[in-house]
Amino acid sequence: MAAISAQLASFKSFSSLLNDKKCSRFRSQIKSFENQHSNWSVEFLSGKESVHLIRNSSPSISMAASVAGSAVKPAKKVCLFYCSETEVLAKRIAAESDAIELRSINWRTFEDGFPNLFIPNAHGIRGQNVAFLASFSSPAVIFEQLSVIYALPKLFVSSFTLVLPFFPTGTSERMEDEGDVATAFTLARILSHIPTSRGGPTSLVTFDIHALQERFYFGDTILPCFESGIPLLKNRLQKLPDSDKISIAFPDDGAWKRFHKQLQHFPTIVCNKVRIGDQRIVRIKEGDATGRHVVIVDDLVQSGGTLIECQKVLAANGATKISAYVTHGIFPKSSWQRFEHDNGGQPEKGLTYFWITDSCPHTVKEVKCKRPFEILSLSGSIAAALQV
């Protein structure tokens, strides 16, 4: 340390002899504490009081330091294709990052109704990172999208990512009787055979898949990335005026297994179904709803019967407000109409909020701006996943 101070004092004396209007540079050699020689540059700038002491390391060290000191990692450029149903979500994703460029597909049909598809400027995506935002909302649209999904990786692209926010056959994974067909396994097998790109296997991004074991349905030729919409819910709950009075309720043990670790900082209520005669009744298995704003959490909703039964039992047990969250609002036959707003704190009559994501575009169109529904967009989460 004394050696460095002496060198600096010498440099200051010498700099006073230089023209103040010019920037002067000279070199000196100082021994490091490890007794190894290191080259140092000392720079005096006119009108500056500070002395800039810079070590000239070996090229490899300098390069490593430069990389380590990089504040921002360069964004990966992604060409994002989409189907007609996911156009709105695709535009939101592109708005999240300048690195995401939207690309369209001509979704045409022949006179017999079969797909007549065309990918414009196919040569333009050679060597690019390509993604496709899919929506398998009905069996009628799956075939045409699979045709595109199988074609894109073969266009000499650098990598291919399939974004399927909602894995639609997730509730059909059980084989309880001989003859049952596990369509969840069938779809996983189909996706597992997507052709590899130049960069290797296809990456699959999906959210809150229904049964945990379904992640093992996929083969080794696809790389599933399992994301969750729960962080969106947590961010929304933090903004509520009564955020300190939130409790999380799970309608059954399955929902608790899926989500309790992500929500462990909230007081928890677990419900279950019991059979009494010919009826299945929802009861509180553990937890206390008294004086709390209770949020029922599950991965998806279809008819909504279980959620409504949970709402009733929680209201009867002292909850002051009741809301619900599901990642995937399916609502076949417009079953969302069963859910009423609580009209300002009447939990026995309805929900304060019903949060869903935009994983099911058809539902989003139906419930938009209708209370108690509120949409939490997956756009930011998907944009981040595309950078992995």
Side-chain angles (χ1 to χ4, degrees):
M1 197 68 176
I4 295 176
S5 299
Q7 290 284 346
L8 292 178
S10 176
F11 295 150
K12 288 180 179 178
S13 299
F14 182 73
S15 66
S16 63
L17 301 176
L18 302 174
N19 191 332
D20 290 339
K21 296 181 180 180
K22 296 182 179 180
C23 174
S24 303
R25 300 172 185 266
F26 57 91
R27 292 183 176 275
S28 178
Q29 196 173 63
I30 303 174
K31 285 188 176 181
S32 68
F33 295 111
E34 290 79 20
N35 206 30
Q36 295 176 346
H37 286 80
S38 301
N39 292 324
W40 297 79
S41 294
V42 179
E43 180 178 3
F44 294 92
L45 301 177
S46 175
K48 301 277 187 178
E49 295 182 359
S50 60
V51 177
H52 300 280
L53 184 64
I54 306 169
R55 180 182 178 184
N56 295 329
S57 305
S58 64
S60 60
I61 296 177
S62 298
M63 185 176 294
S66 176
V67 172
S70 298
V72 180
K73 181 181 178 180
K76 180 174 71 174
K77 298 290 185 180
V78 179
C79 298
L80 179 61
F81 292 87
Y82 54 90
C83 64
S84 57
E85 284 192 13
T86 59
E87 181 177 1
V88 173
L89 178 56
K91 290 179 178 179
R92 287 178 181 161
I93 295 170
E96 295 283 342
S97 172
D98 292 336
I100 299 175
E101 177 186 353
L102 291 184
R103 297 290 187 95
S104 62
I105 293 172
N106 294 340
W107 300 94
R108 305 171 301 192
T109 58
F110 292 108
E111 292 183 359
D112 60 2
F114 273 81
N116 177 18
L117 310 172
F118 181 73
I119 302 171
N121 191 23
H123 286 277
I125 62 173
R126 287 187 174 185
Q128 302 296 313
N129 299 299
V130 173
F132 181 77
L133 179 62
S135 175
F136 293 173
S137 57
S138 72
V141 299
I142 293 179
F143 176 66
E144 63 179 16
Q145 291 182 63
L146 283 176
S147 299
V148 170
I149 291 166
Y150 271 59
L152 286 171
K154 299 173 74 173
L155 293 177
F156 224 65
V157 301
S158 178
S159 69
F160 180 65
T161 301
L162 171 62
V163 182
L164 182 63
F166 172 49
F167 187 74
T169 57
T171 57
S172 303
E173 86 287 355
R174 299 182 182 89
M175 293 183 64
E176 298 177 349
D177 297 317
E178 188 68 25
D180 283 343
V181 178
T183 53
F185 183 52
T186 303
L187 182 57
R189 291 170 66 189
I190 293 173
L191 297 180
S192 296
H193 285 82
I194 297 172
T196 58
S197 66
R198 289 179 61 198
T202 293
S203 299
L204 168 67
V205 178
T206 191
F207 287 79
D208 291 324
I209 201 164
H210 178 65
L212 296 179
Q213 67 268 23
E214 290 176 20
R215 64 185 57 211
F216 304 110
Y217 290 179
F218 298 94
D220 294 338
T221 53
I222 193 169
L223 304 175
C225 178
F226 298 102
E227 300 285 349
S228 178
I230 295 297
L232 299 175
L233 171 65
K234 292 168 70 173
N235 289 338
R236 184 66 181 91
L237 294 181
Q238 291 175 357
K239 298 176 183 178
L240 296 179
D242 57 352
S243 59
D244 59 333
K245 297 184 181 298
I246 298 292
S247 289
I248 301 297
F250 301 107
D252 52 39
D253 289 332
W256 179 85
K257 289 178 182 178
R258 280 189 290 275
F259 298 125
H260 79 280
K261 290 184 179 179
Q262 297 184 70
L263 297 164
Q264 59 186 340
H265 300 298
F266 294 93
T268 299
I269 300 167
V270 181
C271 301
N272 65 353
K273 294 178 183 179
V274 295
R275 183 178 292 279
I276 300 179
D278 295 332
Q279 292 184 324
R280 291 177 66 88
I281 299 175
V282 175
R283 289 182 174 178
I284 294 179
K285 178 180 177 182
E286 59 181 79
D288 185 8
T290 305
R292 308 292 293 180
H293 180 174
V294 182
V295 180
I296 307 168
V297 174
D298 209 347
D299 62 319
L300 59 84
V301 59
Q302 296 211 42
S303 67
T306 299
L307 286 183
I308 290 175
E309 291 302 316
C310 283
Q311 173 220 330
K312 291 179 180 177
V313 72
L314 291 168
N317 281 269
T320 55
K321 292 181 182 179
I322 302 172
S323 297
Y325 165 86
V326 297
T327 304
H328 311 296
I330 305 171
F331 298 118
K333 299 179 180 179
S334 299
S335 58
W336 58 268
Q337 295 177 352
R338 300 179 64 183
F339 292 92
E340 303 287 341
H341 188 250
D342 67 358
N343 293 320
Q346 295 177 296
E348 69 281 357
K349 292 187 177 182
L351 301 174
T352 304
Y353 299 100
F354 197 147
W355 293 291
I356 64 173
T357 73
D358 45 5
S359 66
C360 300
H362 178 71
T363 298
V364 172
K365 291 181 181 179
E366 288 193 335
V367 305
K368 188 176 181 180
C369 299
K370 294 182 174 66
R371 302 176 77 179
F373 293 97
E374 187 176 299
I375 310 300
L376 305 179
S377 181
L378 295 172
S379 57
S381 301
I382 294 174
L386 291 176
Q387 290 298 311
V388 175

